[in-house]
Amino acid sequence: MTAPVTPTAPITQDVHTIPRKAPEGPTNLVGLRREAMRDALIAAGTPEKQAKMRVNQIWQWIYHWGVRDFDAMTNLAKPYRELLARNFVISLPEIVSKQVSSDGTRKYLVRIAGGHEVETVYIPEEDRGTLCISSQVGCTLTCSFCHTGTQKLVRNLTPAEIVGQVMLARDDLGEWPQPGAPKDETRLLSNIVLMGMGEPLYNFEGVRDAMKIAMDGEGIALSRRRITLSTSGVVPEIARTAEEIGCMLAVSFHATTDEVRDKLVPINKKWNIEKLLEALKSYPKLSNSERITFEYVMLKDVNDSDEDARRLVKLIEGIPAKINLIPFNEWPGSPYQRSSNNRIHAFADIIYKAGYASPIRTPRGEDIMAACGQLKSATERARKSRAEIAAEVQG
Ligand code: SAH
Ligand code: SF4
């Protein structure tokens, strides 16, 4: 095993995670890893000897059957169900609204504690269905082509709020198993991508715990190969992602020189292309995954030349990779334009000829602003526009 990459500088995050438990009031069982659930059950009076079995039972009810009510947990004695109800809740964030695109994409506006809102997007495809989930409200990073990056307010989502997005989507898709029904192998929600709002590696523990729950075989049971985490390049957390989550990795590469990447993905000033590539090289082996996805947003006259394509191929030499070309999705006031189709195809061709898969991501849900980089919740939009109005008045 390669030694974990040590941080070259402390990771600064002006974000905070709200405590999982309010000082008073019942504990939410959603979002607790098995060990933590066990501890909580014991603290509430479950005999230690029974605790493991109780975790197994409750876990299955919550994550396999999608049950939210202790009374429905019929293999638990009534007094024990009452003890649970006195001490715990099974609580999810709330879907405030749902929009359905003409292409079937569903965008959920999800309200979390404190009145904040995040967006979750479900993308149906022929052979699978992908849920794009958020890990933070807004983002502390400021990639110049990303709508989320213009949103000011930020806090980390809790594990319950992250895995809760998966559970809410399963509710909406009607996908919890029915007792006695044959096991359905084709799932509507078969894949997760951490490509919604926020930088997942700036909320490492929250994302890790939520994904561990989603992968647990007694519950939602999604294979780690069906979960892809996208990072802008938080280098010190990459080896840890391999070791502690083990999911597939996508990286927002987007440029082939530090000069351009500094502008597009400003975190590059902290960890440049060379440092990023070094961390990526060990990822497939550490995580036992086949390859890394390099995301590359196609911006007209900024990063889309043949020269860029050739440089890209050279840079990633030796890394098992696929390059996902993302036509830029415009948003109100965005400072860039999408490269032409011809340009994107010419770029893809150079990469393909060098031996890499180079799929062009079809924008989904554009009519409801659900495409990559368009997410930004309505309350935050309103918040900002009120601030802008105030500034105008003062000016
Ligand atoms: N913060 C993480 C994950 C969320 S963004 C990250 O940056 O990787 C998911 C992907 O969409 C990233 O590759 C991001 O760079 C890309 N993206 C952001 N804004 C976009 C836009 N306007 N058009 C196309 N892709 C965009
Ligand atoms: Fe944040 Fe990712 Fe958007 Fe950059 S692209 S601002 S890291 S959400």
Side-chain angles (χ1 to χ4, degrees):
M1 262 212 204
T2 322
V5 181
T6 37
T8 48
I11 305 173
T12 47
Q13 304 174 49
D14 48 350
V15 294
H16 61 280
T17 304
I18 54 158
R20 284 184 203 177
K21 188 182 174 206
E24 72 292 333
T27 303
N28 189 7
L29 288 180
V30 178
L32 297 183
R33 298 271 299 269
R34 280 174 180 270
E35 315 79 67
M37 192 187 285
R38 183 177 176 276
D39 293 347
L41 293 181
I42 293 171
T46 307
E48 246 186 271
K49 273 191 183 159
Q50 293 178 9
K52 193 170 173 214
M53 182 178 68
R54 297 291 173 237
V55 170
N56 286 340
Q57 290 170 317
I58 297 167
W59 191 276
Q60 278 210 349
W61 283 117
I62 299 178
Y63 297 115
H64 178 77
W65 299 110
V67 159
R68 307 284 149 74
D69 181 359
F70 294 112
D71 254 348
M73 302 185 176
T74 47
N75 58 354
L76 301 176
K78 194 147 189 278
Y80 189 65
R81 299 203 303 254
E82 284 165 4
L83 175 142
L84 291 177
R86 276 196 307 278
N87 290 280
F88 301 106
V89 288
I90 300 169
S91 168
L92 297 185
E94 181 196 348
I95 295 184
V96 186
S97 68
K98 173 174 110 179
Q99 283 172 281
V100 182
S101 156
S102 53
D103 68 13
T105 300
R106 300 180 185 200
K107 182 168 89 168
Y108 307 103
L109 184 64
V110 175
R111 183 172 300 141
I112 59 171
H116 304 298
E117 287 167 354
V118 293
E119 288 171 331
T120 307
V121 179
Y122 173 73
I123 307 145
E125 283 169 280
E126 235 164 65
D127 55 343
R128 63 177 150 184
T130 303
L131 193 71
C132 176
I133 61 180
S134 295
S135 56
Q136 299 185 307
V137 185
C139 188
T140 49
L141 301 173
T142 50
C143 303
S144 51
F145 53 88
C146 174
H147 202 200
T148 308
T150 67
Q151 189 171 314
K152 287 175 186 164
L153 197 66
V154 171
R155 85 158 164 80
N156 278 341
L157 266 56
T158 63
E161 291 162 347
I162 299 170
V163 73
Q165 295 170 62
V166 180
M167 297 164 79
L168 288 176
R170 292 196 95 188
D171 287 353
D172 186 55
L173 296 166
E175 199 175 35
W176 295 102
Q178 294 301 314
K183 213 173 164 217
D184 189 357
E185 292 301 332
T186 50
R187 290 219 204 166
L188 291 172
L189 199 172
S190 61
N191 293 60
I192 294 177
V193 293
L194 282 145
M195 295 186 186
M197 295 161 63
E199 167 49 60
L201 295 189
Y202 271 168
N203 182 9
F204 186 88
E205 280 87 8
V207 166
R208 176 197 58 202
D209 288 1
M211 291 306 102
K212 285 288 186 190
I213 294 170
M215 288 182 223
D216 188 295
E218 297 294 308
I220 300 166
L222 282 174
S223 143
R224 63 185 189 86
R225 291 176 190 280
R226 291 185 171 271
I227 298 177
T228 304
L229 183 153
S230 173
T231 180
S232 57
V234 185
V235 165
E237 303 288 351
I238 288 179
R240 219 177 142 202
T241 305
E243 283 156 2
E244 296 182 33
I245 311 178
C247 58
M248 309 300 282
L249 188 72
V251 61
S252 293
F253 208 66
H254 303 324
T256 59
T257 63
D258 281 326
E259 197 195 345
V260 176
R261 196 162 191 270
D262 279 352
K263 290 201 187 92
L264 298 180
V265 190
I267 202 178
N268 194 68
K269 292 183 201 150
K270 205 164 192 171
W271 297 292
N272 64 14
I273 292 180
E274 193 190 338
K275 291 197 179 103
L276 177 58
L277 288 169
E278 205 178 295
L280 294 176
K281 269 187 191 128
S282 20
Y283 193 87
K285 209 161 147 223
L286 277 181
S287 64
N288 188 23
S289 53
E290 283 139 41
R291 54 188 182 175
I292 291 177
T293 301
F294 283 76
E295 295 163 290
Y296 199 97
V297 64
M298 297 299 292
L299 305 171
K300 185 168 188 249
D301 299 332
V302 175
N303 63 354
D304 64 351
S305 67
D306 287 354
E307 191 59 38
D308 278 304
R310 284 193 282 267
R311 254 196 311 261
L312 178 60
V313 168
K314 214 149 176 224
L315 281 171
I316 64 171
E317 209 179 313
I319 304 178
K322 142 176 136 181
I323 293 129
N324 205 331
L325 299 178
I326 317 174
F328 173 61
N329 294 309
E330 296 192 13
W331 36 272
S334 59
Y336 300 105
Q337 287 172 301
R338 180 183 292 185
S339 310
S340 71
N341 279 347
N342 283 348
R343 184 85 297 270
I344 298 177
H345 281 103
F347 195 96
D349 211 44
I350 294 174
I351 294 166
Y352 181 74
K353 288 202 173 111
Y356 295 95
S358 54
I360 299 166
R361 196 181 285 175
T362 323
R364 297 290 303 264
E366 276 186 299
D367 53 345
I368 54 169
M369 286 283 283
C372 294
Q374 291 183 316
L375 303 184
K376 181 172 178 181
S377 44
T379 47
E380 313 304 341
R381 249 177 243 143
R383 215 180 290 269
K384 193 159 191 181
S385 50
R386 271 201 297 276
E388 278 160 7
I389 292 164
E392 271 171 29
V393 171
Q394 279 163 14

